[in-house]
Amino acid sequence: MTSAHRQHPGGNSNVVPFSPRRKAAQPPILRLSPEYDGIELLYANDSHPDTLFSLKILAWARLANGDTVAMVPWLKSPVTAMALADPLNGRWEGYRLPGSDYLFVDAPEHKVQELDAAVRFFGKPQPGQHSVQEIPDTIGTHAVFSADEFHTISLMEVVSWRLHADGTLSAMVAEENDPVQTPVLPGAQCLTSAQEKDHFRYFFQHGIANKLKERDPEALAAVAMLATER
């Protein structure tokens, strides 16, 4: 997570004010379109009221209610932008083109059209336990595991995200005990759901994950704080 914009007391013409949208139960996901252009999600929290923070978007999702929304891995699960929340009352504020001050709140039209066409072509998922789509993780997501209340942690890179017929998403990681042929691609037999593995705790994007690998004190302190919120 990175700081995106800071609003000065007198106002800043480069920052567009957003009104947070109401949160609601998420309808099932019908189809995904990976985000390949680096569009970012912006959010704020109560501890830094003058700052918008940014997260890389994993994909755009077509929900069963017809909405097209951004998806990000957030703490324990992938969530829509509108469902984003953290212990500091974090909330979604909009989207941003990378390296610019162009801010917006609606899904890009080209993603809406792509998902329209995909749903028409593939149809709505039939009920069952099968998977209907699998996309690569392009934002460096890591799954964090701990068996001792975060005194020690281990991290696994998320290879892909598997969409199931019931509209839920699983983060797929390479099972360490299986013979692995490289590169590990979406759909590989060695992949298993991170959320179903013992001692799964959280998802982090690559910036925080790399700091954890380096035993960065601030990153470790942040994880310790999350542990107290569980």
Side-chain angles (χ1 to χ4, degrees):
M1 119 185 123
T2 58
S3 176
H5 296 274
R6 183 176 294 275
Q7 291 178 310
H8 298 288
N12 187 329
S13 60
N14 290 328
V15 178
V16 178
F18 291 101
S19 298
R21 298 184 178 182
R22 296 177 61 186
K23 298 171 186 174
Q26 177 183 306
I29 300 170
L30 300 181
R31 198 75 192 168
L32 295 168
S33 172
E35 173 51 51
Y36 290 125
D37 295 304
I39 294 177
E40 299 170 341
L41 176 152
L42 300 177
Y43 74 98
N45 63 42
D46 289 349
S47 291
H48 302 88
D50 297 328
T51 301
L52 293 178
F53 298 94
S54 66
L55 284 171
K56 295 291 187 183
I57 291 172
L58 171 69
W60 299 88
R62 172 58 51 82
L63 305 183
N65 65 357
D67 288 348
T68 301
V69 296
M71 300 290 300
V72 294
W74 185 255
L75 299 182
K76 291 180 177 290
S77 62
V79 299
T80 65
M82 286 73 88
L84 185 149
D86 71 10
L88 300 176
N89 191 29
R91 64 266 179 195
W92 170 69
E93 297 285 357
Y95 307 120
R96 180 182 73 162
L97 286 179
S100 79
D101 288 320
Y102 176 58
L103 311 182
F104 55 101
V105 294
D106 294 320
E109 183 61 27
H110 67 285
K111 288 297 183 183
V112 175
Q113 293 178 2
E114 178 186 339
L115 288 164
D116 283 343
V119 171
R120 285 196 303 269
F121 182 82
F122 292 101
K124 294 183 178 180
Q126 297 299 311
Q129 301 297 317
H130 57 286
S131 62
V132 296
Q133 188 182 9
E134 190 164 343
I135 65 170
D137 181 278
T138 60
I139 57 175
T141 307
H142 284 64
V144 179
F145 301 85
S146 179
D148 54 11
E149 298 299 323
F150 293 92
H151 294 293
T152 60
I153 62 174
S154 61
L155 295 97
M156 298 181 71
E157 295 182 15
V158 174
V159 175
S160 60
W161 295 84
R162 187 171 293 174
L163 176 62
H164 303 285
D166 63 359
T168 60
L169 273 176
S170 293
M172 308 305 294
V173 296
E175 190 63 67
E176 296 174 341
N177 295 329
D178 286 352
V180 176
Q181 294 183 340
T182 57
V184 179
L185 301 175
Q189 292 186 351
C190 65
L191 295 179
T192 188
S193 170
Q195 295 101 311
E196 294 180 4
K197 288 179 65 68
D198 291 340
H199 312 306
F200 167 73
R201 295 295 179 255
Y202 294 111
F203 292 117
F204 290 118
Q205 292 194 5
H206 67 95
I208 296 297
N210 287 334
K211 288 184 178 181
L212 289 173
K213 292 176 183 178
E214 297 165 359
R215 309 297 296 177
D216 177 82
E218 290 187 3
L220 293 172
V223 170
M225 182 191 72
L226 289 173
T228 65
E229 297 285 341
R230 294 199 308 128

